[in-house]
Amino acid sequence: MGRPRKAAGTSGGGELGFEAKLWQAADALRSNMDAAEYKHVVLGLIFLKYISDAFEAKHAELVAQEADGANPEDPDEYRALNIFWVPAEARWSHLKASARQAMIGTLVDEAMVAIERDNPSLKGVLPKDYARPGLDKQRLGQLVDLISDIGLGAPADRAKDTLGRVYEYFLSQFATAEGKKGGQFYTPSYVVRVLVEMLAPYKGRVYDPCCGSGGMFVQSEKFVEAHQGRVGDIAIYGQESNYTTWRLAVMNLAIRGIDAKIEHGDTFHDDRHPDLKADYVLANPPFNDSDWRGELLRDDRRWAYGKPPAGNANFAWVQHFLHHLAPTGIAGFVLANGSMSASQSGEGEIRKAIVEADLVDCMVALPGQLFYSTQIPVCLWFLARGRRNGRFRDRRGETLFIDARKMGSLVDRTRRELTDADIARISGTYHAWRGDEGAAEYEDVPGFSKSAAIEEIRKHGHVLTPGRYVGVEPVDDDAEPFDEKMKRLAVILREHQTQAARLDEEIRTNLGRLGFGG
């Protein structure tokens, strides 16, 4: 699953003060290395620094307690507290002491191998190609020195989620540097926050079958913590088909101590959580994917609402999400705008079947330019099973439409961000509509939101584009009487016509002087 006003990639917590400076220094060491390749060099080192810092802090504490029976060389002392055991050859102090030596690449590789050896949950996850000839060892040593100056794993730094925020910042910057390719592993945090704030996953199983670098899970845990919940009350399940992106996700969650079952594999053809029924599905699947080999899955049991076209995976994803929803589960996900109205290749019939099954809880049209990976306009779908389950009001036969296309602020020529106020307005509208405890009373807002009955959706041919339902935003009345306004506008029009005629005559005169009078 990437920002100048605030630190790119942060999630409302404010800047740490050094993310941008750190990025600039690290990026300066990239030389001619491609951002996609350099990403793993930098993020691997940051991960190593973090787990080493956390280990050293606990190690010092255990050394001080040796007289009371503590054993600083017992790996179980660390694992019991969700701290990775770091063998001597992998500790950051060892690497820092050799940063300026030609063998630094080999030492980093050996450190990664040792950590994977002693921590089975990281097996096959860490990058181990720092000794390759194409990586400038002088620049690698400078990068080690640069990262050495950041405190990442001590208790105070862990409390501030220093590493998590640095890691997220770097993920977002690499997504920017890589452009379209980078967007495949990173969903901008403000888009994720809209999904998470609307779904409000306090308790239960959270599932993302195309999890990228794990941003949905990170934001879900942040949401629980921000609302004084217990992080252990949610169980996390994910899958990612791209191996290098899967590694990023495992590292991203490991540095935050998030316990998750993240599997590697093709979700459509090798579903690694086949029996999972999730309370929440959060996802940003690839848009309009034509290369999902759908022709091999024509009779798959997941296609309860119609066979998705082999040339577009949008409604394969939608039905995969529904297949994995618990009886009272709710799914929130990103799709291209075409999914709301497309009728070709049977997509319209699938959408109709989903509407008629009374599964569509809410549709949100988002502003353009939110993503690194595409300029395609996108929307959010919210599908819910059991819409009379006692948790909220009975919403059967109704769908909420929100048109948020005018929201957001441009941060540069090509990118827009949703502000905290935007996110609060969108999610607050949804919570009011579905009747969350303590939420405001819901009212339709012309031009922004409308609660529509299923009969109205049928009249629109089961098209789910919010603009068709919310109407037009009211225009402020300036109180000027109509007759007076028309007289005033007529005078202005005549003045403009007179001025235009004068300019036309001047142009003809000047052309004549140049011999083009005709």
Side-chain angles (χ1 to χ4, degrees):
M1 339 291 84
R3 303 170 331 155
R5 274 180 299 104
K6 64 180 181 181
T10 60
S11 47
E15 292 190 33
L16 296 173
F18 60 79
E19 302 108 323
K21 182 179 179 181
L22 177 62
W23 165 260
Q24 289 166 1
D27 197 42
L29 297 174
R30 178 152 64 102
S31 187
N32 296 320
M33 187 180 296
D34 183 76
E37 184 182 12
Y38 189 59
K39 170 175 73 219
H40 298 287
V41 173
V42 175
L43 294 175
L45 285 176
I46 290 176
F47 178 82
L48 188 58
K49 175 65 160 62
Y50 168 80
I51 64 172
S52 183
D53 278 9
F55 172 85
E56 293 287 6
K58 183 60 180 177
H59 187 269
E61 182 183 318
L62 292 173
V63 167
Q65 297 171 354
E66 278 188 288
D68 298 324
N71 181 2
E73 299 306 317
D74 179 2
D76 289 338
E77 293 269 19
Y78 303 85
R79 291 169 183 153
L81 297 172
N82 224 5
I83 296 172
F84 290 104
W85 165 260
V86 181
E89 66 269 32
R91 294 171 193 173
W92 194 263
S93 55
H94 173 63
L95 299 178
K96 181 180 179 182
S98 306
R100 298 294 174 162
Q101 297 180 19
M103 60 187 296
I104 182 60
T106 301
L107 293 176
V108 175
D109 284 344
E110 290 174 351
M112 296 294 191
V113 169
I115 288 169
E116 286 196 4
R117 179 195 68 218
D118 291 351
N119 298 277
S121 65
L122 296 176
K123 186 174 178 58
V125 171
L126 305 182
K128 296 178 284 291
D129 51 0
Y130 289 88
R132 67 185 186 276
L135 181 56
D136 186 317
K137 301 307 178 290
Q138 182 179 0
R139 291 179 185 273
L140 176 59
Q142 291 175 288
L143 194 58
V144 170
D145 281 341
L146 178 68
I147 293 172
S148 294
D149 294 334
I150 320 168
L152 297 177
D157 297 310
R158 295 174 76 192
K160 291 187 295 185
D161 192 23
T162 302
L163 183 279
R165 293 163 71 177
V166 169
Y167 195 91
E168 189 175 350
Y169 183 88
F170 271 54
L171 278 174
S172 71
Q173 291 300 317
F174 278 121
T176 303
E178 292 182 66
K180 183 174 181 179
K181 183 178 179 181
Q184 294 174 357
F185 69 84
Y186 187 82
T187 304
S189 63
Y190 37 86
V191 176
V192 180
R193 281 183 58 208
V194 176
L195 287 170
V196 172
E197 291 287 337
M198 290 179 75
L199 291 187
Y202 286 107
K203 193 172 187 177
R205 292 151 295 189
V206 179
Y207 175 52
D208 182 350
C210 41
C211 66
S213 53
M216 300 285 182
F217 304 134
V218 171
Q219 290 291 348
S220 295
E221 294 251 346
K222 287 181 178 178
F223 176 87
V224 173
E225 290 175 339
H227 292 81
Q228 287 77 52
R230 295 190 309 171
V231 168
D233 284 347
I234 63 172
I236 288 174
Y237 302 84
Q239 186 163 340
E240 172 56 42
S241 61
N242 182 289
Y243 179 68
T244 55
T245 305
W246 169 77
R247 290 162 57 190
L248 287 178
V250 175
M251 286 193 286
N252 193 16
L253 299 177
I255 59 178
R256 303 167 190 273
I258 296 176
D259 185 23
K261 295 177 177 65
I262 310 298
E263 301 288 349
H264 171 239
D266 186 305
T267 298
F268 289 133
H269 298 272
D270 183 21
D271 186 354
R272 304 300 297 274
H273 302 288
D275 300 319
L276 174 66
K277 295 299 180 183
D279 300 290
Y280 304 96
V281 173
L282 291 118
N284 174 24
F287 301 150
N288 304 321
D289 186 5
S290 61
D291 192 28
W292 67 289
R293 298 180 293 145
E295 68 279 0
L296 302 178
L297 298 169
R298 301 313 295 155
D299 298 317
D300 195 279
R301 66 192 181 106
R302 287 170 288 186
W303 314 149
Y305 303 94
K307 295 179 181 180
N312 191 318
N314 284 349
F315 281 95
W317 283 114
V318 173
Q319 294 188 83
H320 179 84
F321 302 149
L322 285 169
H323 175 76
H324 279 288
L325 270 187
T328 58
I330 182 166
F333 50 91
V334 187
L335 278 184
N337 272 5
S339 64
M340 298 187 290
S341 58
S343 58
Q344 65 268 30
S345 305
E347 290 181 310
E349 289 302 311
I350 299 173
R351 186 175 57 250
K352 175 183 176 180
I354 292 171
V355 170
E356 292 296 337
D358 202 20
L359 293 167
V360 183
D361 212 37
C362 179
M363 299 295 300
V364 181
L366 292 177
Q369 300 177 280
L370 292 179
F371 283 79
Y372 302 95
S373 54
T374 181
Q375 292 303 308
I376 296 174
V378 300
C379 59
L380 303 180
W381 287 62
F382 293 87
L383 305 180
R385 292 196 185 278
R387 298 206 290 156
R388 188 185 66 167
N389 59 25
R391 294 169 57 199
F392 311 111
R393 73 175 182 86
D394 184 350
R395 310 183 303 287
R396 290 177 299 170
E398 300 176 44
T399 296
L400 176 65
F401 292 92
I402 297 176
D403 190 344
R405 289 176 296 172
K406 294 181 181 179
M407 288 186 160
S409 303
L410 281 171
V411 294
D412 56 38
R413 287 186 307 105
T414 61
R415 280 192 307 113
R416 183 180 297 273
E417 287 183 4
L418 293 171
T419 65
D420 289 347
D422 294 334
I423 295 169
R425 186 183 182 196
I426 294 169
S427 60
T429 299
Y430 179 55
H431 293 311
W433 174 81
R434 75 177 184 180
D436 285 53
E437 184 178 352
E441 192 76 21
Y442 173 78
E443 290 184 6
D444 288 341
V445 177
F448 178 69
S449 67
K450 170 69 181 294
S451 180
I454 195 168
E455 291 80 8
E456 185 174 355
I457 299 174
R458 289 177 184 138
K459 290 177 183 177
H460 285 282
H462 299 90
V463 169
L464 298 176
T465 308
R468 292 200 176 201
Y469 300 91
V470 300
V472 179
E473 187 176 1
V475 178
D476 289 337
D477 185 359
D478 57 11
E480 183 178 7
F482 178 78
D483 289 344
E484 292 181 15
K485 180 180 287 188
M486 288 304 298
K487 289 176 183 177
R488 178 173 59 79
L489 293 176
V491 170
I492 294 173
L493 176 61
R494 285 192 292 273
E495 290 175 351
H496 287 170
Q497 290 172 329
T498 302
Q499 187 177 16
R502 186 174 67 251
L503 290 173
D504 285 343
E505 184 59 36
E506 289 180 8
I507 291 171
R508 279 194 293 271
T509 300
N510 289 332
L511 286 173
R513 289 172 182 166
L514 295 171
F516 299 100

